Amino acid sequence: MRITRQTERKFNAVCYYVFCWIFAAEGFSAVDSYAQFGTIDAGEVLSMLQFALFMGLSHGVYDILILRDEMDCRSIWKSLLMRTLYFISAICSSKVLCILLFQRDSSEGIINEIGFGSVFSEFSNPAVQMQLLVFFLMAYLITFVRSVHKKFGPRVFWNTLLGKSQEPLEEDLVFMMVDLRNSTTLAEELGHVKYSSFLKDYYKLLSNCCEENRGEIYQIAGDGAFLTWPISACRKKARPVNCFFDFSECLERISYKFIRKYGRVPSFKAAAHCGRVVTTEVGNFGSELAYHGDVLNTTSRIQTLCGRLGQEFLISEDLFAALPKPLPHGFLCKREGFFELRGKKNEILIFSLQIPLTTLN
């Protein structure tokens, strides 16, 4: 049975929580044990490993499966209250389970009088109470770190964490512009509030497909978004093509949800191009990563040809040459010809990519 990219993404997210809890719990236990006794207690290390596994798995399941990966739509106070209650109950229950397992009697099982006595004794200990408080704060820190990493991307996250700015750097990147069709009509029919919710659901799917194909969303502006990949990551796998296919398939698969909620199903067109850009960080307060170069403008100009040519996906000759052949998912490639784009001196050869109907059906 083949694991889907969505399942792989959720599995990796759960692994993140497990790894963070192991690192944090074992690190705290080692430092605390060494500070008190001048040595590291092996029994305490094993107990903390057990606790970290329980907490990591429960934390991951809660955030990824129950909250559906940070799609909690409750008010901030309700969300804060529910998360606080969850952390307290999860930490206490994990600690109790570790104590009971450690004090387990082969003849009486896990639940016995000695075990409950040990639980009461441990929770009455001020050192254990302080330990639980540290783990509570640690749970919020782990959640915060992942939220920041998801929101700003790995490069901005590490630059922010290390307190450094992104110096101008030349990079060879692929850019794909994804544009929502008939956005003006949709906004008029749905109204501003419902249209905003429509875009939220639409971009949630797009961001998932982008992440599953190892891409980054550089910019979202209204009804259009720029996705990016390093060219080196696309020479063995046609990641932009895979992303386009996955997004099309995803919208087709859950179209009934959009119809039920909005009465309309989103459709999109896209264009992709590659080349050299300068990556830098702009601004001081509220700074962001920016790409400077002609590649983005060219990608945007190619995307405007989709309506003229009646195509859903156009790519430049440069990108077509960089992608591995044959293209995945049975994509049909057609040479559309040379076109003079606004602001460009030389004409550019454009290819259209089409998904065979049998592939989606």
Side-chain angles (χ1 to χ4, degrees):
M1 181 178 178
R2 183 176 177 271
I3 299 177
T4 63
R5 277 189 294 270
Q6 184 180 21
T7 303
E8 182 183 355
R9 176 169 56 84
K10 291 181 178 181
F11 175 77
N12 291 337
V14 173
C15 287
Y16 159 81
Y17 286 107
V18 173
F19 172 79
C20 285
W21 273 104
I22 290 176
F23 178 79
E26 292 291 4
F28 175 80
S29 173
V31 170
D32 183 59
S33 178
Y34 188 81
Q36 290 189 54
F37 309 109
T39 184
I40 297 176
D41 185 3
E44 183 67 15
V45 169
L46 291 175
S47 177
M48 278 297 124
L49 177 60
Q50 193 177 53
F51 172 82
L53 289 174
F54 289 148
M55 274 304 303
L57 288 172
S58 63
H59 196 168
V61 169
Y62 180 76
D63 267 17
I64 306 302
L65 300 181
I66 298 178
L67 293 185
R68 296 171 59 192
D69 206 6
E70 298 182 354
M71 295 309 296
D72 190 357
C73 297
R74 292 171 296 194
S75 66
I76 184 171
W77 295 111
K78 286 184 179 179
S79 181
L80 184 64
L81 177 62
M82 292 301 296
R83 193 175 286 274
T84 298
L85 291 175
Y86 160 71
F87 284 149
I88 292 174
S89 60
I91 290 171
C92 291
S93 59
S94 296
K95 187 67 176 178
V96 168
L97 189 56
C98 289
I99 295 172
L100 292 177
L101 288 173
F102 189 76
Q103 297 290 338
R104 181 175 64 90
D105 191 314
S106 58
S107 60
E108 299 183 17
I110 297 177
I111 308 299
N112 56 72
E113 186 177 350
I114 297 177
F116 281 115
S118 299
V119 169
F120 181 78
S121 176
E122 285 285 325
F123 276 80
S124 301
N125 188 342
V128 174
Q129 295 171 3
M130 183 59 65
Q131 184 185 79
L132 296 178
L133 176 61
V134 170
F135 287 148
F136 174 77
L137 299 176
M138 202 174 290
Y140 267 109
L141 179 62
I142 291 172
T143 302
F144 172 76
V145 168
R146 184 169 187 272
S147 298
V148 172
H149 183 274
K150 283 193 63 180
K151 185 173 181 62
F152 297 105
R155 185 179 304 189
V156 175
F157 169 77
W158 286 112
N159 285 347
T160 304
L161 187 65
L162 298 175
K164 58 179 288 191
S165 62
Q166 175 67 52
E167 297 298 326
L169 174 68
E170 284 191 325
E171 292 185 287
D172 293 317
L173 299 177
V174 176
F175 286 92
M176 182 167 78
M177 183 179 182
V178 179
D179 186 62
L180 177 66
R181 288 182 180 272
N182 305 316
S183 58
T184 304
T185 304
L186 283 169
E188 291 177 350
E189 291 179 353
L190 298 176
H192 295 306
V193 176
K194 203 167 185 179
Y195 178 64
S196 177
S197 178
F198 181 91
L199 286 179
K200 182 179 179 181
D201 292 340
Y202 170 80
Y203 281 126
K204 173 191 170 184
L205 298 175
L206 177 60
S207 63
N208 285 343
C209 292
C210 180
E211 182 187 7
E212 289 161 12
N213 286 283
R214 305 292 189 268
E216 291 184 16
I217 292 186
Y218 162 51
Q219 195 175 65
I220 294 178
D223 57 0
F226 273 104
L227 283 56
T228 182
W229 293 264
I231 291 182
S232 58
C234 300
R235 296 193 183 279
K236 292 184 178 180
K237 287 187 177 181
R239 298 190 187 276
V241 179
N242 286 333
C243 184
F244 180 91
F245 176 84
D246 290 347
F247 192 38
S248 300
E249 187 183 50
C250 186
L251 291 177
E252 180 78 15
R253 188 173 63 250
I254 66 167
S255 59
Y256 70 95
K257 292 185 178 180
F258 277 94
I259 292 176
R260 184 174 58 196
K261 189 173 181 180
Y262 305 104
R264 296 291 299 271
V265 178
S267 61
F268 68 99
K269 53 186 183 291
H273 179 48
C274 66
R276 181 158 294 185
V277 297
V278 175
T279 306
T280 187
E281 190 174 346
V282 294
N284 185 19
F285 296 98
S287 61
E288 63 178 20
L289 204 65
Y291 298 104
H292 298 150
D294 186 55
V295 180
L296 283 88
N297 290 331
T298 303
T299 305
S300 180
R301 301 287 186 267
I302 294 174
Q303 188 272 327
T304 60
L305 294 175
C306 289
R308 175 178 164 186
L309 299 175
Q311 299 293 341
E312 293 184 341
F313 192 17
L314 299 176
I315 65 173
S316 66
E317 179 186 16
D318 293 340
L319 179 57
F320 179 76
L323 296 177
K325 312 297 186 301
L327 295 176
H329 309 295
F331 266 88
L332 304 177
C333 183
K334 178 185 176 184
R335 177 181 168 134
E336 295 290 344
F338 286 90
F339 293 86
E340 184 177 347
L341 303 178
R342 185 160 59 90
K344 301 287 291 183
K345 293 182 179 180
N346 301 320
E347 293 184 334
I348 294 181
L349 179 59
I350 302 298
F351 292 87
S352 63
L353 301 184
Q354 300 173 2
I355 306 175
L357 294 178
T358 53
T359 305
L360 278 179
N361 297 333

